[in-house]
Amino acid sequence: MPFFSNCAIDFYKVPDAFNELEQEFLKFSVEYKYILLNGDFNSRTSRDVEYIETVHSQHDIVDTDNVDILNNLELYDMSKVRCSMDTSKNSYGNMLLEMCKNNNIIILNGRVNGDKEGKFTCRQASVVDYFICTYDFLCFVVNMYVQDFSKLFSDVHSPLILSLNFKDGIEEDVHIAENSVENAREVKRVQKWDVEKKMNS
């Protein structure tokens, strides 16, 4: 099942905020493969790549995770090159990009239908609010929108909307689960240990 986390760490007040966030991510990634992070990361990442780009020769050992990201983003109609109206970067942006690379997670801003241009999310001047997910979660993503700023929702941030479709993924998981149950039924049960029989033999 998917796991959702709203980023509630104050990056200006917590000295080692990204390490704390990454440790939380690693803890949950042991149990969940469908993970979505969202919130204000105070990170300006410009258009920099957040996954490891690898160039292979015939003799290289292939990192399948990175190859999947590069080759299959287009499968979900997502751009390999992320766009952003914000062309600036800050130190938090560098840390966020590094965290994404270390954990094979993908920034959806500027890549998904509805926000292919990477609209500003804060003060109409920067992109600091993100949807970020694991590669496995990409199959659920339909589109993403950055709404017009409204004082009803925030002092400086624009609302972000992400549309998801779990139907196909859930049906696939159910099918796998049903097969697992059928396979389990075919396994012969081990008989209980008969102490008396063992003592009499």
Side-chain angles (χ1 to χ4, degrees), residues 8-198:
I9 298 173
D10 190 332
F11 288 88
Y12 289 125
K13 293 182 180 178
V14 180
D16 204 10
F18 273 96
N19 183 56
E20 185 176 319
L21 178 62
E22 188 165 14
Q23 292 308 310
E24 283 291 301
F25 173 83
L26 291 171
K27 181 178 75 174
F28 286 109
S29 64
V30 172
E31 187 174 349
Y32 302 95
K33 67 176 183 176
Y34 304 116
I35 300 177
L36 175 70
L37 306 174
N38 72 286
D40 175 9
F41 292 81
N42 287 318
S43 303
R44 301 179 72 175
T45 59
S46 186
R47 302 184 182 99
D48 284 20
V49 175
E50 78 279 22
Y51 54 82
I52 298 172
E53 296 180 282
T54 52
V55 178
H56 298 292
S57 71
Q58 293 179 347
H59 307 291
D60 287 339
I61 297 173
V62 177
D63 184 334
T64 54
D65 286 335
N66 289 328
V67 171
D68 281 344
I69 290 171
L70 286 169
N71 292 339
N72 293 328
L73 278 171
E74 289 181 352
L75 177 67
Y76 302 115
D77 196 25
M78 298 179 189
S79 306
K80 291 182 181 179
V81 179
R82 184 170 55 88
C83 293
S84 180
M85 289 184 173
D86 186 358
T87 57
S88 298
K89 279 175 58 183
N90 61 11
S91 58
Y92 290 124
N94 288 327
M95 286 187 272
L96 179 60
L97 292 167
E98 193 64 26
M99 190 184 92
C100 290
K101 289 177 182 178
N102 290 341
N103 297 284
N104 284 326
I105 51 180
I106 301 294
I107 295 173
L108 299 180
N109 303 56
R111 171 170 281 134
V112 181
N113 286 332
D115 187 44
K116 292 279 190 178
E117 62 270 47
K119 290 181 179 177
F120 293 125
T121 67
C122 182
R123 299 181 188 272
Q124 288 298 305
S126 64
V127 176
V128 293
D129 308 277
Y130 296 93
F131 283 114
I132 303 172
C133 69
T134 53
Y135 175 71
D136 292 296
F137 195 92
L138 291 176
C139 63
F140 301 125
V141 177
V142 178
N143 51 47
M144 173 193 158
Y145 297 100
V146 179
Q147 300 289 87
D148 292 334
F149 171 75
S150 171
K151 290 182 179 178
L152 292 173
F153 299 111
S154 172
D155 54 347
V156 294
H157 298 275
S158 298
L160 272 62
I161 296 174
L162 184 67
S163 299
L164 304 170
N165 178 5
F166 292 111
K167 184 179 179 183
D168 296 336
I170 289 173
E171 286 180 352
E172 183 179 341
D173 284 349
V174 169
H175 179 66
I176 292 170
E178 287 174 349
N179 286 342
S180 299
V181 170
E182 290 300 320
N183 292 337
R185 287 174 182 160
E186 294 176 5
V187 176
K188 293 182 179 179
R189 293 184 178 276
V190 177
Q191 293 182 347
K192 289 184 178 180
W193 183 261
D194 190 335
V195 178
E196 291 182 5
K197 185 176 180 182
K198 182 65 179 175

